[in-house]
Amino acid sequence: METTTPSMPRIGDLAPDFESMTTTGKMKFSEYIKDSWTILFSHPADFTPVCTTEMSGFALDQKFFDEHQTKLVGLSIDSIHAHIAWVNNVKKNTGVLFEFPIIADIDMSVSKLYGMLQPGESETAAVRAVFFIDPAGKIRLIMYYPLNVGRNMEEIKRALIALQTADKHKVALPLNWTPGEKAIVPPPKTVEEMIAREESDYEMVDFYLAKKELPLN
Ligand code: BEZ
């Protein structure tokens, strides 16, 4: 087993670029994701039960991701033929169609580039990774799950809304924040700002921990 720590993309890095075959055709990643939010997610293998529930979950929430200007891109270390057969199988069995592209990473190049191949977990299957990438192409949030535990779609959607909300209103968001709840105002940088804060209608725990309502839109 590999004992060195491989380099992996980090929050704040530009999403590494690649070209690959997908279920919707050839993709140059940087061009496909240009000016859009993107969720790039890997799964261990086609025709496996947990993966089928997860991919179906993304497909069933396609409208949510469209409404949040977010492209979905799936990946596993399987051939394009296996992907197409699996998409067809799930559609026939459940009526759910995976419309988003699924990368056929048969040479593992994208999995390695994104640290999705974690040899302590599996030498041949990608772990369940989720990369949230902003319209500037920057990685903003990363999740990694092991092979035997499925992800939480509600948390994926909450995290996406939280990132978009934090950007739009230039705020931070507290523990367990959900849409409609108050946001954290950045701490004051001067004594003058600290004193001004006392006159504000912020909910103040102390001068450095203040919350405010966000406008509805
Ligand atoms: C699954 O998706 O069910 C799965 C895939 C690889 C290992 C274990 C479970």
Side-chain angles (χ1 to χ4, degrees), residues 47-114:
F47 292 101
T48 51
V50 178
C51 297
T52 303
T53 63
E54 292 190 312
M55 297 294 270
S56 302
F58 278 109
L60 289 167
D61 272 316
Q62 182 70 61
K63 190 161 174 277
F64 168 89
F65 293 109
D66 291 343
E67 285 169 0
H68 289 80
Q69 295 80 46
T70 300
K71 291 180 175 167
L72 298 175
V73 182
L75 172 151
S76 76
I77 300 168
D78 287 290
S79 70
I80 201 75
H81 305 294
H83 282 348
I84 289 168
W86 186 39
V87 170
N88 183 47
N89 177 273
V90 174
K91 180 172 172 285
K92 281 199 169 141
N93 283 327
T94 68
V96 177
L97 177 64
F98 305 162
E99 290 177 83
F100 47 81
I102 308 169
I103 295 166
D105 192 31
I106 198 75
D107 67 358
M108 305 187 184
S109 57
V110 184
S111 304
K112 287 179 182 163
L113 191 63
Y114 276 80

Side-chain angles (χ1 to χ4, degrees), residues 184-212:
I184 301 218
V185 192
K189 292 190 190 66
T190 62
V191 171
E192 195 181 357
E193 281 179 20
M194 180 196 76
I195 291 168
R197 181 162 288 209
E198 286 165 10
E199 310 296 317
S200 73
D201 57 3
Y202 296 161
E203 177 191 318
M204 296 248 281
V205 175
D206 207 324
F207 78 93
Y208 64 89
L209 174 48
K211 293 184 185 176
K212 70 172 183 181

Side-chain angles (χ1 to χ4, degrees), residues 139-185:
I139 295 171
R140 300 291 301 280
L141 194 154
I142 304 173
M143 299 173 175
Y144 284 107
Y145 277 58
L147 300 190
N148 62 350
V149 177
R151 288 157 280 203
N152 183 316
M153 190 54 64
E154 290 310 309
E155 173 55 9
I156 289 170
K157 292 192 287 181
R158 186 200 76 95
L160 178 65
I161 297 173
L163 287 168
Q164 294 181 342
T165 302
D167 280 9
K168 183 173 176 185
H169 298 286
K170 300 195 177 9
V171 290
L173 299 168
L175 174 77
N176 294 337
W177 178 87
T178 54
E181 292 179 358
K182 288 181 179 172
I184 301 218
V185 192

Side-chain angles (χ1 to χ4, degrees), residues 112-146:
K112 287 179 182 163
L113 191 63
Y114 276 80
M116 294 163 171
L117 197 60
Q118 306 201 355
E121 184 72 348
S122 170
E123 303 263 4
T124 54
V127 296
R128 303 177 194 281
V130 191
F131 288 85
F132 294 71
I133 302 166
D134 72 16
K138 193 185 275 191
I139 295 171
R140 300 291 301 280
L141 194 154
I142 304 173
M143 299 173 175
Y144 284 107
Y145 277 58

